[in-house]
Amino acid sequence: MHDPAELRTLHLERFHAEPAVFAAPGRVNLIGEHTDYAEGFVMPAAINFATLAGISPNTSGKIAIYSENYREERSFDAAALPVKPSGHWSDYPMGVAHVLAGEGHRIPGFSLSLWGDVPLGSGLSSSAAVEVATALAVESLIGTSYPGPVLARLCQRAENQFVGASSGIMDQFISIHGQENHALLLDCRDLSSKLAPIPDEVALVIANTMVKHSVAGGDYPTRRREAEAACAVIARHRPEVKFLRDATLADLERWGHEMEPKSLMRARHIVSENLRTVAAADALLRGDLEELGRLMAEAHWSYSRDFEASCVEADAMVELAADLPGLIGARLTGGGFGGCTVNLVEQTEAETFAQKLGERYTARMGIVPEIHICHASGGAHRVA
Ligand code: GLA
């Protein structure tokens, strides 16, 4: 995480006012991909990359937002917030302001500085980190404090309704509720969750394929639509099936022939992924790392072959990790079509693993990857 003291200095120099500073982490998902919007299960962990937000009130009636990452400032009229996105980085913080205004809050003028080290477009939820950090900052200004799950929904709404990305609840939820050294099994239906400790001997090695990923792009919503079409077919026979969370592999056997072949494949991934995710949480809780690794590998190939959300580079990153000493499990993490793989690796082997994986990937793909040895971190908070 960047140094909050530096953000404070930066804010003071630019806006001449003392900021309150908040931090919200990115996340890595261990297993459970494209299951959240199907009201299924996910098992992410917050990571030690975060967005910092510094906020101070002003009397100009303007919302001034500065991003240190983009080295750019934008200004808006607080009394007439934009109602539409502009395809700009400021859509994420302004989406949050828009949603809070929609909840009946009067949004006053403020100055906001943002600075994050969550790699952008890498499937590690840099957008959720910006939304959650902004939400905490604005909350402090207007004197509200929503319960975590409600705040997560509001941030998701900023992304769905303002930014225009049809993402689920996972990223915002874990950015708020992450716990040091734990993954979290989240039931995306009722937002109940269970913490699963990540043993000290296990490192989270995150390997960036350097292929850009975007939830707002076309592939994510296409997959979602294809999966929902499969659900609609099952619902014709079993009206109690509202989401793929409610469907079984037997339903797919029985009515799969009525579905478009691609829809059937997408649904097979989601239905089997829900089973794997719950089983993976069980395995982690009872310390069966071998089983966890096996489930992660199965999840990767289901994501790649049935969901067709991987890419040559991510498949290579997973394959090249498979026989490296210390590997417990590897798979593509996040929304897909690029981004990062998550590797659970024995702590004592993590450095060598990272180095070898990098060399192998460069030799095969001609791309130098960024590989980070991370740990599961706490959720969003005010920085003292
Ligand atoms: C993105 C979305 C999440 C989730 C994942 C895929 O990160 O923001 O809601 O759907 O993709 O699991």
Side-chain angles (χ1 to χ4, degrees), residues 27 29 32-37 42 123 125 159 166-172 213 215 220 303 334-336:
R27 63 102 187 92
N29 190 18
E33 228 62 87
H34 282 254
T35 44
D36 58 354
Y37 55 73
V42 294
S125 293
E159 190 155 329
S166 55
S167 48
I169 187 68
M170 164 166 70
D171 306 346
Q172 294 80 7
H213 132 106
V215 173
Y220 183 99
Y303 203 31

Side-chain angles (χ1 to χ4, degrees), residues 154-176:
L154 293 174
C155 290
Q156 181 196 10
R157 211 194 293 160
E159 190 155 329
N160 294 167
Q161 294 178 2
F162 190 83
V163 178
S166 55
S167 48
I169 187 68
M170 164 166 70
D171 306 346
Q172 294 80 7
F173 192 94
I174 189 66
S175 182
I176 293 170

